[in-house]
Amino acid sequence: ARPVGRMEPPAVPAATFERRVVRSGAEHHYLRVRLELPDGGARPSVAQFKQLVVSALRELHGEVGAALPVDVLTYEEKSLSAILRVISSGLVKLWSALTLLGFYQNRRCAFRVLQTSPFLLALSGNSRELVLD
Amino acid sequence: EAALSRRYVLCEVVSEDPRCRQCIEDRAVGLAVRDAIARVHGDYGLACCSISFTVKYLNAYTGTVLLRCRKDFYRLLCSALPFVRQLESRNQRYPCSLHTLHVGGTIRTCQKFLIQYNRRQLLMLLQNCTNEEERRCIQKSLLSCSLTEEQSPSGDEEDDDGIE
C-alpha cells in the first residue's frame, strides 16, 4: 500500500535505448606518427626521438610548449614510427609543432601523422591500410 | 567589423642597480619583452603578441612602462613579463625585473590608475624617509604638485618630480 499524501513522480516508461553525450572528452590523445628522413643517414634512438619532439615544441611554443607532458609509448627505429600520447589540451600545440618541424641535426625531415584518436585501442586498426581481396 | 580591441599593460621596472635607469628606453624595453615572449611562448607566441605591439609610454624616473598588445593575446604577454631578466642598451646590460601594475582596455584607465598609484607611492616614500633632508624634499614636492585641467584629450600625468 502506498503512503498517502506524498508527491509521486509521474510513471516513466522503460527506456528502449539510452544515449550519453560526453562533452569533457578523454584526458589524453594518442597520435601514431612517422618520421621521414629521406637521406639514408643514422636513425635517431628513442631518446633522440623524444628530444626531437620536445625541441619542436620548444621552437614553436617556447618553454611552455616544451613543458607539455608528451610520452613516447612505442617507437620502432627501423620504420621510424611511434605512438605519442599527449594531454588533450595540448593536442593542437603538439600537432602544429610536429607539422612545422623541418630539420633534424641539419638533415631535412618531416613528420607524418598517420592516425589520431582519444582512445589508444582505436590506433590498432587502420582502415586506410585495409587490403580488400 | 569587430572593433580592434587592445589591452594596455602598465608595469614598473624594478632594479637594484641604479644605472639600470639609463637603459629604460622604448627600444631596449620592447626588445627585452619580445625576447622574453619568444623564450616562453616560442615563435607562435612571439608572432601573436607582435601584432600591434608597442611601448606606448615610459618614464625613466619612475620606471613606469605602458605596453600595448591585441586583446586576444594579452595573457601571453602578461605571463611572459616575469621572465624579463635584464635590459640592454648601448652595449650595457643591467639586471632588472618587471612588475605588472595594471591591465586596462584604454590608455585613459591606465592613466587614472597610474595617478592614484603614484599618489600612494609618494605617501609611502614620505613615511619611509630615513632622514630629515629627504623628508623636507618630498614634502616640498608634494605641496608643489597641482593638477591642471587640460583641454586636450591626451592629458599628461600629474606632475611629480623625479625623486631619486
Side-chain angles (χ1 to χ4, degrees):
Chain A
R2 294 197 185 139
V4 183
R6 192 177 64 166
M7 287 274 286
E8 303 216 22
V12 178
T16 46
F17 87 102
E18 191 178 291
R19 180 180 153 178
R20 288 187 182 208
V21 180
V22 177
R23 292 269 177 229
S24 53
E27 221 182 284
H28 295 107
H29 265 75
Y30 301 86
L31 289 135
R32 183 193 291 278
V33 300
R34 192 182 69 233
L35 177 63
E36 272 187 11
L37 278 174
D39 63 0
R43 293 198 166 100
S45 68
V46 59
Q48 289 168 322
F49 185 85
K50 169 111 192 243
Q51 162 72 10
L52 182 62
V53 170
V54 172
S55 71
L57 276 165
R58 181 175 284 115
E59 250 193 80
L60 188 61
H61 291 289
E63 291 300 325
V64 169
L68 207 51
V70 171
D71 303 310
V72 178
L73 298 181
T74 64
Y75 178 65
E76 266 174 63
E77 199 166 318
K78 206 149 102 46
S79 57
L80 288 177
S81 68
I83 297 187
L84 303 175
R85 178 180 73 169
V86 68
I87 214 110
S88 288
S89 55
L91 178 66
V92 173
K93 287 193 176 158
L94 174 65
W95 200 333
S96 56
L98 293 178
T99 304
L100 293 180
L101 183 69
F103 289 96
Y104 166 60
Q105 288 180 351
N106 284 330
R107 298 150 62 184
R108 268 235 162 269
C109 73
F111 264 100
R112 307 290 182 209
V113 175
L114 306 169
Q115 290 170 286
T116 175
S117 167
F119 308 111
L120 185 54
L121 188 55
L123 296 187
S124 62
N126 189 358
S127 59
R128 290 184 180 184
E129 286 159 16
L130 201 56
V131 171
L132 296 175
D133 42 321
Chain B
E1 291 115 344
L4 199 65
S5 290
R6 292 168 175 150
R7 284 283 177 267
Y8 293 86
V9 180
L10 189 67
C11 36
E12 182 183 3
V13 178
V14 172
S15 176
E16 290 180 347
D17 193 338
R19 292 172 295 175
C20 189
R21 286 203 189 281
Q22 60 191 273
C23 284
I24 302 183
E25 41 181 40
D26 46 6
R27 193 162 171 272
V29 171
L31 281 176
V33 170
R34 295 185 64 203
D35 175 68
I37 298 175
R39 263 182 291 128
V40 177
H41 295 295
D43 293 338
Y44 172 73
L46 178 62
C48 285
C49 294
S50 290
I51 310 175
S52 64
F53 170 79
T54 181
V55 178
K56 213 56 188 159
Y57 162 83
L58 53 76
N59 183 334
Y61 294 113
T62 57
T64 304
V65 175
L66 184 66
L67 305 166
R68 177 189 78 179
C69 71
R70 279 284 162 99
K71 175 174 111 170
D72 301 320
F73 307 117
Y74 83 93
R75 306 194 77 127
L76 290 176
L77 172 61
C78 288
S79 59
L81 289 181
F83 292 87
V84 172
R85 286 191 296 253
Q86 61 184 22
L87 287 182
E88 184 173 341
S89 154
R90 293 173 230 116
N91 284 330
Q92 307 252 8
R93 57 176 74 105
Y94 300 103
C96 68
S97 61
L98 287 185
H99 291 188
T100 309
L101 302 175
H102 188 249
V103 178
T106 59
I107 300 188
R108 196 177 297 268
T109 56
C110 289
Q111 182 186 27
K112 276 198 230 170
F113 175 87
L114 191 59
I115 292 174
Q116 280 190 340
Y117 179 77
N118 282 341
R119 273 207 193 109
R120 271 181 273 136
Q121 289 296 97
L122 279 174
L123 287 175
M124 262 175 44
L125 280 174
L126 188 63
Q127 283 172 355
N128 299 343
C129 266
T130 45
N131 60 7
E132 201 46 47
E133 178 66 37
E134 282 180 13
R135 194 176 291 274
R136 268 189 277 118
C137 247
I138 297 183
Q139 273 181 333
K140 191 156 81 78
S141 347
L142 272 174
L143 292 171
S144 71
C145 277
S146 65
L147 191 57
T148 54
E149 271 306 311
E150 290 213 12
Q151 299 306 88
S152 58
S154 58
D156 284 356
E157 59 166 342
E158 108 177 287
D159 247 276
D160 50 324
D161 290 355
I163 298 163
E164 300 280 16

